[in-house]
Amino acid sequence: MPDIIHLLPDFLANQIAAGEVVQRPASVVKELLENAIDAKATSIQLIVKEAGKQLIQLVDNGIGMSETDARMCFERHATSKISTTEDLFRIRTMGFRGEAMASIGAVAQVELKTKTKDADTGTKLLIEGSAVVLQEPVATPEGTSISVKNLFYNVPARRNFLKTNAVEMRHILDEFQRVALAYPEAAFSLYHNDVEVFNLPATKLSQRIVGILGSNYKEQMAYCEEDTSFLSVKGYVGKPEHAKKTRGEQFFFVNNRFVKSGYLNHAVMTAFEGLLPKDSHPFYVLFIELEPEKIDINVHPTKTEIKFEDEKTVYAIVHAAVKKALGTYNIAPSLDFDGDVNFAPLQPIRVQGGFNEFDNEDRTSSGNSGGGSTSFPGFTPPASARRATSKGWEQLYEPMRNDPAQEERVSSATSDMGLLDDAFAAESIGAGSANKAIQVHQKYLLVQVKSGMMIIDQQAAQERILYEKYISSLQKKTGASQALLFPQTIELSPADAILVKELAGEFKDIGFQFEDFGGNTIILNGIPADVHAANEKELLEELIEQYKNNLTTLKLDKRENLARAMAKRLASRSLARMSDFEMNSLVDKLFACQVPNYTPGGQKTLVIMELSQLHDLFLKG
């Protein structure tokens, strides 16, 4: 039998290795930025064209490379960071594997210009598909300039799997922000298609956070610091009142390396326990410093996963540090007066005589007001009440009760979501009035059905109804808009600005109207016609956050994602006391949906309790 095992050619081995290291343009950006940091650069410029598909160029003022080092850096497993096994456990540099440049050179056309401080001339290299096309001396400033052109030009299948420019650019921004946050002492700039996205001068951490994430973060940062013999924790955590509904700006750095750790995130979240509303997530930028021997970063090629020698101690110190920071800034739990409280609703005071009886201060203070009415010590009615006629409180509302049209107008005006269409609702009342719905805790609706009792989750039902409405608007492009009386100027983060511009057509289809105001700022002129006009900026920010959260957890197209995000955000605002008119209409609208039983995310909108189940609850043991 002939021998069948053989060594792979270098170019093929490099392409295989590139599959782990270089997954998309953002992977190249990450590796080049980390190399610049390891080269002790204090000024780093990143230039990107077509979201990195056409060009990724990084220029730094680091120590540069000699002619030999410039050639060697493109060889597999060639590195200046480690030389022995023991070095793996003393790593303080960003890179150490010696795979990145070889992998990049295998799937792109690379031009390298570099010069050391003492050299008279620099070195220029051209690499295509792992092959050296050109090497010659060149006049270049001290430092290194690397241009990566036509990524995956020789692997068309990989290039076809790349997402849209907007999606790839968001990944690039993520990598850029992580490195820029970790090294505020260095100046960073980013240009995309000749447009400046970031220009960050060397500064301190707090100013770097504001420069990257936006000026609205100035007021929400609480300083966090804890030094122990085992490790130190420094950074900033967000104040609870600024928490967002989705995971957004949460950064952990271990020895200045960005890491993803659900374990550490849990330590932070437990420190916030009792301070955050349900399903809210705080902002934080935390740096952990400890001896390299106590961690293992050689877990994954991307080096975003690490293992701690003593996880429990790290968890406890991080938890204590965040708890201390929250206490230092006097952030303590408080009563939630907006929540549902099991108090009986206040009843209007029944007055048999005229309101002017309260004018007698002596009678009021003695508790013996005329006409057998009830009064309280120290109670002073409003002037409008004192001027009213002798009609009782209930009589004041009598015209409204006798005028269904007036009641309907008030009901519609007090609906936070503006969800109910009057014409459709009128039909719903007629169809569903036989089984009147009852609201419980402003969260659930109880409806009698033939087989027993149906319990509807009010928010989940709203989400299903809104989702089907908005997905229809997006497909048919029929979304109606209401103009804002005062257009709002909204400053977004660079990543969010790119996302909004990418979704401009879809936003228009569901009723949003905005225009570009330059940079990362937009002017919001209109919102969907059925959305209550209040806190438009907050609504748009929540919608963007929910959309991004869907991107990380689900594989959805733009329309489906936006419809889900819009429905979830608006439904979360809709918990309120509802009139009979609104409750019956909500039930009828739910059952007019194509899939009434579940939300788009798979949560149940209703459950039915059979009569037999209800009987069983009351059977004696």
Side-chain angles (χ1 to χ4, degrees):
M1 179 178 177
D3 299 332
I4 60 174
I5 298 177
H6 58 275
L7 287 173
L8 291 174
D10 285 344
F11 75 92
L12 184 55
N14 286 339
Q15 285 190 6
I16 294 172
E20 291 185 343
V21 180
V22 184
Q23 300 172 357
R24 59 192 340 144
S27 306
V28 176
V29 170
K30 175 181 182 293
E31 300 295 344
L32 297 184
L33 286 171
E34 290 180 351
N35 283 343
I37 292 296
D38 288 340
K40 299 179 176 56
T42 58
S43 177
I44 299 173
Q45 184 181 63
L46 179 63
I47 301 169
V48 175
K49 291 187 178 179
E50 297 300 320
K53 299 174 185 176
Q54 180 181 333
L55 172 69
I56 300 171
Q57 182 179 4
L58 188 133
V59 182
D60 68 59
N61 64 345
I63 60 175
M65 290 181 282
S66 66
E67 181 180 355
T68 303
D69 287 344
R71 177 66 185 82
M72 282 294 295
C73 77
F74 288 98
E75 297 294 333
R76 291 186 68 202
H77 309 303
T79 180
S80 62
K81 315 298 171 57
I82 60 175
S83 56
T84 66
T85 304
E86 289 74 21
D87 291 338
L88 278 174
F89 302 98
R90 294 194 295 264
I91 294 173
R92 290 195 176 274
T93 55
M94 300 295 287
F96 61 90
R97 291 174 178 270
E99 293 180 333
M101 295 307 297
S103 298
I104 294 170
V107 293
Q109 297 167 332
V110 182
E111 178 183 285
L112 169 67
K113 294 180 181 179
T114 184
K115 176 182 173 294
T116 60
K117 181 178 180 180
D118 300 329
D120 295 328
T121 60
T123 302
K124 177 181 178 180
L125 272 176
L126 293 180
I127 307 288
E128 291 187 9
S130 296
V132 178
V133 177
L134 174 68
Q135 180 171 350
E136 63 181 11
V138 68
T140 185
E142 179 184 345
T144 302
S145 171
I146 301 178
S147 299
V148 180
K149 304 174 183 177
N150 301 321
L151 187 64
F152 299 131
Y153 80 101
N154 55 350
V155 193
R158 293 285 301 280
R159 191 174 180 89
N160 291 337
F161 276 104
L162 294 179
K163 305 298 183 182
T164 63
N165 285 359
V167 173
E168 296 298 341
M169 192 59 198
R170 283 205 309 274
H171 287 286
I172 289 174
L173 284 171
D174 286 342
E175 298 295 348
F176 180 87
Q177 290 174 352
R178 292 165 183 173
V179 178
L181 280 173
Y183 294 90
E185 66 275 9
F188 289 83
S189 60
L190 170 61
Y191 295 83
H192 181 225
N193 292 339
D194 300 323
V195 176
E196 183 182 273
V197 180
F198 281 111
N199 189 355
L200 306 170
T203 183
K204 58 184 181 180
L205 178 60
S206 59
Q207 293 176 341
R208 177 57 56 86
I209 292 173
V210 171
I212 290 178
L213 302 180
S215 57
N216 57 328
Y217 279 80
K218 287 181 181 178
E219 304 299 325
Q220 57 177 288
M221 295 191 297
Y223 185 64
C224 176
E225 182 175 11
E226 186 69 40
D227 286 311
T228 70
S229 58
F230 182 75
L231 61 80
S232 66
V233 179
K234 294 181 181 179
Y236 291 89
V237 295
K239 298 177 182 178
E241 59 267 28
H242 298 283
K244 295 185 177 181
K245 292 293 183 182
T246 54
R247 287 186 177 90
E249 288 70 28
Q250 297 182 340
F251 301 89
F252 261 117
F253 299 90
V254 177
N255 292 351
N256 274 28
R257 183 190 305 278
F258 173 79
V259 298
K260 298 176 182 178
S261 173
Y263 191 69
L264 293 179
N265 180 70
H266 187 269
V268 175
M269 294 302 294
T270 53
F272 275 90
E273 191 171 1
L275 298 172
L276 294 178
K278 183 181 178 182
D279 297 329
S280 294
H281 304 275
F283 143 80
Y284 58 78
V285 179
L286 295 174
F287 292 80
I288 299 174
E289 291 286 337
L290 74 169
E291 293 300 322
E293 309 89 63
K294 296 177 181 178
I295 58 174
D296 181 9
I297 60 176
N298 192 26
V299 178
H300 190 273
T302 60
K303 299 186 284 288
T304 57
E305 300 175 19
I306 64 172
K307 290 183 178 179
F308 293 97
E309 184 180 79
D310 188 352
E311 285 187 333
K312 292 184 178 179
T313 301
V314 175
Y315 183 100
I317 295 174
V318 170
H319 175 85
V322 176
K323 199 83 171 175
K324 176 182 174 183
L326 296 175
T328 301
Y329 284 81
N330 297 321
I331 302 169
S334 59
L335 290 175
D336 180 11
F337 293 101
D338 295 328
D340 179 53
V341 183
N342 292 323
F343 291 150
L346 295 176
Q347 300 295 328
I349 301 173
R350 296 188 178 185
V351 182
Q352 295 179 3
F355 281 104
N356 55 7
E357 292 175 355
F358 287 98
D359 290 341
N360 189 322
E361 189 173 0
D362 293 334
R363 285 200 299 269
T364 302
S365 59
S366 65
N368 296 318
S369 57
S373 63
T374 304
S375 62
F376 303 93
F379 172 77
T380 304
S384 59
R386 293 196 300 268
R387 291 194 300 268
T389 64
S390 59
K391 292 183 179 180
W393 284 99
E394 292 186 43
Q395 290 175 298
L396 291 174
Y397 290 95
E398 201 62 34
M400 186 184 297
R401 292 196 181 96
N402 296 330
D403 184 0
Q406 174 70 6
E407 182 177 358
E408 181 175 327
R409 285 194 295 272
V410 173
S411 169
S412 177
T414 56
S415 174
D416 184 49
M417 294 303 303
L419 175 68
L420 302 173
D421 179 73
D422 291 345
F424 188 93
E427 296 178 11
S428 303
I429 290 288
S433 57
N435 294 330
K436 181 179 177 182
I438 301 173
Q439 190 178 32
V440 179
H441 293 298
Q442 300 184 26
K443 293 182 179 180
Y444 303 100
L445 303 182
L446 304 184
V447 183
Q448 176 183 325
V449 293
K450 290 182 179 180
S451 59
M453 179 177 64
M454 180 169 59
I455 306 172
I456 297 175
D457 185 318
Q458 180 179 326
Q459 181 175 330
Q462 298 269 31
E463 187 176 345
R464 165 50 65 177
I465 295 167
L466 289 168
Y467 166 75
E468 295 205 2
K469 174 177 181 176
Y470 287 122
I471 197 67
S472 176
S473 297
L474 285 165
Q475 291 170 349
K476 299 176 182 178
K477 301 185 178 181
T478 56
S481 178
Q482 58 175 322
L484 296 178
L485 184 61
F486 300 103
Q488 292 202 14
T489 302
I490 301 176
E491 183 181 351
L492 303 168
S493 69
D496 289 349
I498 290 174
L499 177 61
V500 168
K501 291 173 184 176
E502 177 196 0
L503 297 173
E506 285 74 16
F507 273 116
K508 183 178 180 181
D509 290 341
I510 60 174
F512 283 99
Q513 299 289 338
F514 59 83
E515 56 185 296
D516 191 357
F517 194 59
N520 301 318
T521 305
I522 62 171
I523 298 178
L524 185 64
N525 297 314
I527 58 176
D530 57 352
V531 175
H532 183 57
N535 299 324
E536 295 85 3
K537 178 181 178 182
E538 181 182 341
L539 170 63
L540 186 61
E541 290 175 345
E542 288 180 356
L543 181 57
I544 293 170
E545 283 297 316
Q546 185 63 48
Y547 185 93
K548 291 191 296 184
N549 189 58
N550 290 349
L551 283 178
T552 60
T553 57
L554 302 168
K555 301 295 182 184
L556 305 171
D557 62 37
K558 290 193 292 186
R559 290 179 178 179
E560 174 79 10
N561 191 345
L562 187 59
R564 286 194 182 195
M566 189 75 176
K568 194 170 187 67
R569 282 294 137 233
L570 291 180
S572 67
R573 297 177 166 207
S574 65
L575 292 181
R577 191 175 301 280
M578 301 175 72
S579 66
D580 293 345
F581 170 82
E582 293 169 322
M583 286 188 285
N584 285 286
S585 184
L586 179 66
V587 173
D588 289 344
K589 278 195 169 186
L590 176 63
F591 284 96
C593 292
Q594 294 180 358
V595 187
N597 298 62
Y598 296 93
T599 67
Q603 175 191 345
K604 286 184 178 181
T605 60
L606 59 92
V607 293
I608 294 180
M609 292 191 69
E610 303 286 344
L611 277 174
S612 58
Q613 292 177 281
L614 292 173
H615 290 319
D616 290 342
L617 291 175
F618 295 97
L619 289 178
K620 294 182 178 179

